[in-house]
Amino acid sequence: MDLLFSKIYKTFVFQDRYLLFLEGFRNTIILTILSFICGILFGILISFAVSSKNETLRKSVTLIRSLLIEIPTMVLLMIFVYLIFGESAVPVFWIVAAALTLKSAAFLSEIFMTCLSVVNKGEIEASRTLGMTSLQSFKFVVLPQVVQAALPLCKNQFITTMQETSVVGYLAVMDLTRASSVVSSRTLDAFFGLILITMIYFLVGATGKGLLNSIAKLCRIRM
């Protein structure tokens, strides 16, 4: 028992090592929520651009989206940090946040486009026949169906976004994974650190999915 408490003390208390986990937790939460919410906004913009009648815009955005999806997250982060913003004074944290946002937006735009394709075109034509404008038709016919179809898929993207933050530690950003790695390198014991961050990742993911489920139910009630 003394050995157990000694390991816990060395992992979390000695030299205020719990502060590393708190910093890692804060950064992980900020990166996850910021990348996901901004990813939704940029994903909507990408969806509109991909479905644009402007061929140049459509092809350019489609190519960029494909690159964002196909390039591994770690490689994308390195491109942003070392190439695109290599000489910039912007903090690495915000560069990483921007890269993760675009990565999330690329996947979310595909979700939105897929959900948009299942909307019955006959319903849109019927709404226009009833005198609705294009904006009204989109607001009252298309948008509710897209939201209902997209929300369940967005839950998985939220988890993916959270998981992708676990690689930012390789770029000197203190996230949960890096905090555990730093502490374990000092204590030579990774057990308690890994157990803690595993529980945190699980709780954050479960909480995020629960919130999205609640939003989905609320949307169904209002629609």
Side-chain angles (χ1 to χ4, degrees), residues 31-63:
L31 285 173
T32 300
I33 295 177
L34 185 64
S35 300
F36 183 70
I37 293 178
C38 292
I40 290 175
L41 300 178
F42 279 101
I44 293 172
L45 293 177
I46 292 174
S47 298
F48 279 120
V50 169
S51 58
S52 171
K53 295 180 180 179
N54 187 315
E55 186 176 357
T56 302
L57 176 63
R58 184 175 67 252
K59 289 185 177 180
S60 298
V61 174
T62 300
L63 175 61

Side-chain angles (χ1 to χ4, degrees), residues 6-203:
S6 175
K7 289 184 176 182
I8 294 176
Y9 176 82
K10 289 181 179 179
T11 301
F12 303 114
V13 181
F14 185 65
Q15 296 180 338
D16 293 332
R17 288 170 179 162
Y18 69 93
L19 293 176
L20 292 175
F21 288 99
L22 287 177
E23 182 183 0
F25 174 72
R26 182 196 66 193
N27 289 340
T28 295
I29 291 296
I30 292 174
L31 285 173
T32 300
I33 295 177
L34 185 64
S35 300
F36 183 70
I37 293 178
C38 292
I40 290 175
L41 300 178
F42 279 101
I44 293 172
L45 293 177
I46 292 174
S47 298
F48 279 120
V50 169
S51 58
S52 171
K53 295 180 180 179
N54 187 315
E55 186 176 357
T56 302
L57 176 63
R58 184 175 67 252
K59 289 185 177 180
S60 298
V61 174
T62 300
L63 175 61
I64 293 172
R65 183 179 67 172
S66 298
L67 288 173
L68 289 170
I69 291 174
E70 300 300 334
I71 295 175
T73 302
M74 189 67 228
V75 176
L76 181 66
L77 293 177
M78 292 173 69
I79 289 173
F80 267 69
V81 172
Y82 297 127
L83 295 183
I84 299 177
F85 295 97
E87 303 298 326
S88 172
V90 179
V92 174
F93 180 88
W94 297 111
I95 297 174
V96 165
L100 290 176
T101 293
L102 292 177
K103 184 79 169 178
S104 179
F107 282 105
L108 285 166
S109 69
E110 286 212 329
I111 291 175
F112 298 149
M113 291 297 294
T114 300
C115 294
L116 186 61
S117 67
V118 302
V119 177
N120 191 329
K121 292 183 179 180
E123 295 183 32
I124 300 175
E125 294 174 358
S127 66
R128 297 302 302 276
T129 302
L130 292 173
M132 288 188 182
T133 64
S134 297
L135 183 60
Q136 289 175 325
S137 179
F138 176 79
K139 180 180 179 181
F140 296 110
V141 178
V142 178
L143 186 60
Q145 296 185 60
V146 171
V147 170
Q148 284 188 326
L151 277 173
L153 300 175
C154 286
K155 291 187 296 183
N156 295 329
Q157 183 55 42
F158 176 83
I159 299 299
T160 300
T161 300
M162 180 188 66
Q163 291 173 345
E164 289 180 336
T165 65
S166 64
V167 302
V168 303
Y170 293 102
L171 297 169
V173 176
M174 184 61 71
D175 71 311
L176 279 172
T177 304
R178 181 173 174 80
S180 176
S181 178
V182 169
V183 171
S184 65
S185 69
R186 297 175 183 176
T187 62
L188 301 180
D189 184 1
F191 180 78
F192 291 104
L194 288 175
I195 291 297
L196 176 65
I197 67 170
T198 298
M199 293 174 60
I200 292 175
Y201 277 126
F202 174 78
L203 290 174

